[in-house]
Amino acid sequence: MGQEVAQKILKEIRDLPPFSAIANRALKLTNDPRASAVDISRVISYDPAFTARVLRMANSAYYGFARKVTTVSEAIVILGYETLKSVVLALTLQKFYDNEVRGYGLEKGDMWKHSVGCALASRLLATQVKYPAVEEAFVAGLLHDVGKVILNEYVRDEIDEIIELAGSQGLSFAEAEKRVLGFDHQDIGSKVAEKWNFNDTIVEAIRCHHRPERAKKEPELTAIVHVADFICLSLGLGIGNDGMLYPLKKEALEILKLDEPEIDNLIYSAYSIAEEIEKILT
Ligand SMILES: [Fe+2]
Ligand SMILES: [Fe+2]
């Protein structure tokens, strides 16, 4: 693929809107142990869509409150900071992820489902392996395939060649993508995360999620996202064109000190993830 296309893609990334200022502030506050529910509700209340969603969640049958929750600060106490943070982030990305990503064979809503699924599976895995920054794992999972949204149309034109190359040479989809296009959705996704000012370890996890053995800064985080991605594909969450070309890297299991039977158990416990996705989506 020529220089010209590479320049076009870089320009597209440069022109992306900034990551929602409200989401950024709400996330900072949910990370601040001194912040109160009132502080956070003040930030969320700026956005009517967030407010409505947060109230709807707190009032959903799942939380089983008999009394109607009408204020955001009350809702925050019921939902808890962790859930709130996931909801704010997930809502911020929903619009961006909602379209079909045809180049990768993802129907409308698949990209979103896959990303939320990977975020939740990353969080589950992080807890299981006692990775200290559990929410960072959630964020990295949510963003891991963000490059696909940008590369979508370029991949669509070359998809037959990519799949053919992967099949004939025994390459992963990302490797074939890189040979045909000159870069893959990991490279482009990490540039998007940089543009949105996510920290270095999250950027690395995005850049290396199909090659976790290359991660240097925080190999554990990258390995978590890699395995969580595999778990989502095993659950059938947003498989697309590359889902069948996903070798689970043994290096990732070594980094996390997990063995294959434990992965089977994790896939089993991850069934509840589909339920949680419903909760975030509706
Ligand atoms: Fe990926
Ligand atoms: Fe993925």
Side-chain angles (χ1 to χ4, degrees):
M1 181 151 302
Q3 252 331 81
E4 214 175 285
V5 178
Q7 290 305 332
K8 233 172 106 189
I9 291 173
L10 289 177
K11 184 176 173 335
E12 254 184 69
I13 297 173
R14 263 200 314 275
D15 293 345
L16 277 178
F19 198 70
S20 155
I22 292 173
N24 262 334
R25 279 168 61 201
L27 289 177
K28 270 208 188 95
L29 279 174
T30 51
N31 271 334
D32 179 355
R34 289 161 309 170
S36 68
V38 177
D39 292 331
I40 298 171
S41 67
R42 212 171 281 145
V43 175
I44 290 181
S45 306
Y46 283 120
D47 188 316
F50 281 7
T51 305
R53 191 66 72 97
V54 168
L55 286 177
R56 200 171 342 136
M57 272 188 76
N59 280 309
S60 73
Y62 184 83
Y63 290 93
F65 269 77
R67 200 164 59 80
K68 203 162 164 46
V69 178
T70 49
T71 67
V72 176
S73 48
E74 229 181 333
I76 291 169
V77 174
I78 291 167
L79 297 173
Y81 287 177
E82 295 305 307
T83 308
L84 180 74
K85 196 167 160 180
S86 320
V87 172
V88 169
L89 243 188
L91 286 179
T92 306
L93 285 168
Q94 186 170 22
K95 248 193 219 117
F96 191 63
Y97 277 169
D98 207 31
N99 294 327
E100 49 186 10
V101 187
R102 275 263 164 256
Y104 289 89
L106 296 167
E107 312 257 317
K108 188 170 162 56
D110 278 356
M111 175 73 193
W112 165 247
K113 218 184 281 171
H114 178 70
S115 305
V116 175
C118 189
L120 294 169
S122 296
R123 182 198 277 157
L124 179 80
L125 204 48
T127 312
Q128 168 107 355
V129 302
K130 302 197 167 51
Y131 180 70
V134 172
E135 279 313 302
E136 195 163 285
F138 180 93
V139 176
L142 193 63
L143 289 168
H144 78 286
D145 274 340
V146 68
K148 285 185 177 177
V149 180
I150 307 283
L151 275 187
N152 176 36
E153 64 178 284
Y154 306 98
V155 164
R156 189 168 38 198
D157 295 342
E158 316 284 346
I159 189 69
D160 292 340
E161 196 183 335
I162 294 172
I163 291 178
E164 211 284 305
L165 187 67
S168 63
Q169 310 268 320
L171 303 173
S172 73
F173 188 91
E175 284 165 327
E177 206 182 355
K178 192 157 188 132
R179 292 230 189 138
V180 173
L181 302 175
F183 35 74
D184 61 27
H185 69 278
Q186 305 175 97
D187 303 325
I188 301 302
S190 64
K191 291 216 168 3
V192 173
E194 267 169 15
K195 145 105 192 178
W196 282 343
N197 295 322
F198 283 93
N199 69 27
D200 287 358
T201 49
I202 291 177
V203 170
E204 178 183 68
I206 297 169
R207 196 177 54 240
C208 299
H209 70 271
H210 292 287
R211 46 190 181 207
E213 67 283 359
R214 302 253 195 105
K216 295 282 172 290
K217 289 191 171 80
E218 195 70 89
E220 245 187 310
L221 182 65
T222 305
I224 286 171
V225 175
H226 175 76
V227 176
D229 200 8
F230 179 80
I231 290 174
C232 280
L233 297 173
S234 309
L235 289 172
L237 292 169
I239 298 180
N241 285 331
D242 54 338
M244 296 299 166
L245 299 162
Y246 197 106
L248 178 64
K249 296 276 179 88
K250 66 176 186 332
E251 291 91 338
L253 298 183
E254 281 162 16
I255 293 168
L256 300 176
K257 302 187 182 65
L258 288 171
D259 52 27
E260 303 247 4
E262 281 176 286
I263 298 293
D264 290 339
N265 283 338
L266 275 163
I267 293 174
Y268 185 72
S269 28
Y271 274 120
S272 60
I273 284 178
E275 248 170 63
E276 219 174 310
I277 290 177
E278 293 283 10
K279 231 166 64 198
I280 291 183
L281 287 179
T282 52

